[in-house]
Amino acid sequence: YDVIVLGTGLKECILSGMMSVAGKKVLHMDRNKYYGGESTSLTPLEELYTMLKPDKKPPESFGRGRDWNVDLIPKFLMADGQLVKLLLHTGVTRYLEFKSVEGSYVYKKGGKIHKVPANEKEALGTSLMGLFEKRRFRKMLIHVYEYDPDNQATWKGFDASKRTAQELFDEYSLDSNVSDFTGHAFALFLNDDYLQKPAIDMVKRLKLYSESLARYGKSPYLYPLYGLGELPQGFARLSAIYGGTYMLDKPCDEIVMEDGKVVGVKSQGEVAKCKMVICDPTYVPERSKKVGKVVRAICIMNHPIPNTNDALSSQVIIPQNQVDRKADIYVCCVSHSNQVAAKGFFIALVATTVETDNPEAELRPGLDLLGPIEEKFVTVSDLFEPADDGKDSQIFVSKSYDATTHFETTCTDVLDMYRRATGGDFDFSQVKHTLDDGC
């Protein structure tokens, strides 16, 4: 084989599909009996209880177990983002149907959530800011949306490639509260480091949010019907169509090396030869390093998140500074309308990067937004990154899934792995389809 992929998590399945489409001979193995790894969807509901509350059974009030598809790590897709472009380029959209997420919100100190203002009209109507600041924020958005790096006439005297994001906020006399929701809930930065970096990255992210919102109207996010478990299976089908070989319930006993470079994978007494291996950190703990922990709470409710206009699906981002933390808290909610819960029920996830010895307590600002909770499942997972770039060994290791409830960081890792493995960037210019038929 050209490539052996270990683990059927979403990242591994995307790369398997990309490599197969590129003409590589791929063998894809997973020690589990199911697709998806950490990004699987559990169905029926009894599977969730077996995994996380083995001494308990779901109550009869939750309805039929097979009506549930619960993501262990739910995330939304940006409608014009990198994952959608990958889906379009590879043709995986033929296996999936999507539904627009109904609302995107941000938390402001004091306990209130507000709709993220994503265009000039919403900027003037938002309750996040005072009257005069709304007008200044609107002017900044107009500047950002008109900004073209190749046309100096659109810069309005501000070179975003040389001046910082903080300087852009200062240019319009916008305070730290505005930079908080703009940087974290709008541009989806993970921390405040972006403020001292060239503003061009923030400009691109704000444009992406706006362009994604413009596609389907209610929010910039999409979510596949029947849960995220459909995504890795879609890429697995794609790989199989292009000649990829899949083996579930197949252990990896050893990665065979010669002169410091991978030459094969040994399983149950047989060795499959290969030129490179792509895998998640659990297959090569010695080639991974622990960089932190994520705490997640999967909550079952019989109502939408309060103050979201009864949205059947929504995302809320709690910027770190609004709750005196170093990391944002992410909240997302899906429901029976997404074919992931029984009629009348909602599944909310609250997640953040662990900072203390009491991880569950760190979720409190997010949990407090949910209202009454019928059932709660809390997990704490280690975060791993590859210890090296893999170029010498030809073993390319993915990062663990972070606390975000969107796929932008996931795609960044996939494209970085693709670049390291192939020596070149993925060419998005080949994307010529639209998602309209499947959304």
Side-chain angles (χ1 to χ4, degrees), residues 157-171:
F158 188 94
D159 186 347
S161 62
K162 294 182 179 178
R163 298 178 66 185
T164 67
Q166 182 62 63
E167 288 178 297
L168 181 57
F169 288 121
D170 292 343
E171 187 89 356

Side-chain angles (χ1 to χ4, degrees), residues 303-344:
H303 58 84
I305 296 177
N307 303 310
T308 60
N309 295 317
D310 294 328
L312 297 177
S313 55
S314 58
Q315 174 173 263
V316 183
I317 292 180
I318 305 176
Q320 55 192 45
N321 295 324
Q322 299 298 314
V323 284
D324 301 318
R325 289 177 50 79
K326 297 176 183 176
D328 293 350
I329 300 173
Y330 298 88
V331 182
C332 70
C333 181
V334 288
S335 69
H336 54 90
S337 72
N338 306 101
Q339 307 295 332
V340 295
K343 184 72 173 176

Side-chain angles (χ1 to χ4, degrees), residues 108 117 123 126-131 133-134 137 174-175 178 181:
K108 187 177 180 182
T126 183
S127 55
L128 275 167
M129 299 168 278
L131 177 62
E133 199 153 47
K134 288 178 187 179
F137 181 64
L174 297 170
D175 66 17
V178 177
F181 81 73

Side-chain angles (χ1 to χ4, degrees), residues 107-114 177 318 321-324 369:
Y107 174 96
K108 187 177 180 182
K109 193 171 288 187
K112 288 189 176 182
I113 61 173
H114 306 259
N177 279 323
I318 305 176
N321 295 324
Q322 299 298 314
V323 284
D324 301 318
L369 297 177

Side-chain angles (χ1 to χ4, degrees), residues 82-119:
Q82 294 175 326
L83 181 52
V84 167
K85 290 179 179 178
L86 283 170
L87 287 164
L88 292 170
H89 172 76
T90 54
V92 172
T93 49
R94 69 175 69 108
Y95 308 121
L96 301 164
E97 285 187 80
F98 294 86
K99 193 176 181 71
S100 178
V101 174
E102 293 186 9
S104 176
Y105 297 85
V106 62
Y107 174 96
K108 187 177 180 182
K109 193 171 288 187
K112 288 189 176 182
I113 61 173
H114 306 259
K115 189 178 187 303
V116 178
N119 55 44

Side-chain angles (χ1 to χ4, degrees), residues 32-188:
N32 296 313
K33 296 180 180 180
Y34 55 85
Y35 286 102
E38 281 189 299
S39 52
T40 192
S41 299
L42 295 179
T43 185
L45 183 60
E46 285 77 7
E47 282 197 19
L48 179 65
Y49 278 81
T50 299
M51 179 178 287
L52 300 180
K53 288 191 175 181
D55 57 340
K56 191 175 180 181
K57 292 184 178 181
E60 290 186 10
S61 60
F62 286 0
R64 298 184 307 176
R66 62 179 177 273
D67 288 338
W68 296 77
N69 293 280
V70 183
D71 293 331
L72 291 179
I73 306 178
K75 290 179 183 281
F76 294 152
L77 294 78
M78 190 71 85
D80 205 35
Q82 294 175 326
L83 181 52
V84 167
K85 290 179 179 178
L86 283 170
L87 287 164
L88 292 170
H89 172 76
T90 54
V92 172
T93 49
R94 69 175 69 108
Y95 308 121
L96 301 164
E97 285 187 80
F98 294 86
K99 193 176 181 71
S100 178
V101 174
E102 293 186 9
S104 176
Y105 297 85
V106 62
Y107 174 96
K108 187 177 180 182
K109 193 171 288 187
K112 288 189 176 182
I113 61 173
H114 306 259
K115 189 178 187 303
V116 178
N119 55 44
E120 304 92 289
K121 182 179 178 181
E122 289 185 355
L124 287 177
T126 183
S127 55
L128 275 167
M129 299 168 278
L131 177 62
F132 296 111
E133 199 153 47
K134 288 178 187 179
R135 292 174 178 172
R136 295 195 296 270
F137 181 64
R138 176 179 177 271
K139 288 180 180 178
M140 188 191 79
L141 287 183
I142 292 172
H143 181 183
V144 164
Y145 296 152
E146 291 177 349
Y147 193 95
D148 180 354
D150 300 320
N151 182 359
Q152 196 166 341
T154 66
W155 296 2
K156 298 181 181 178
F158 188 94
D159 186 347
S161 62
K162 294 182 179 178
R163 298 178 66 185
T164 67
Q166 182 62 63
E167 288 178 297
L168 181 57
F169 288 121
D170 292 343
E171 187 89 356
Y172 290 90
S173 302
L174 297 170
D175 66 17
S176 59
N177 279 323
V178 177
S179 65
D180 255 6
F181 81 73
T182 305
H184 292 262
F186 200 163
L188 303 179

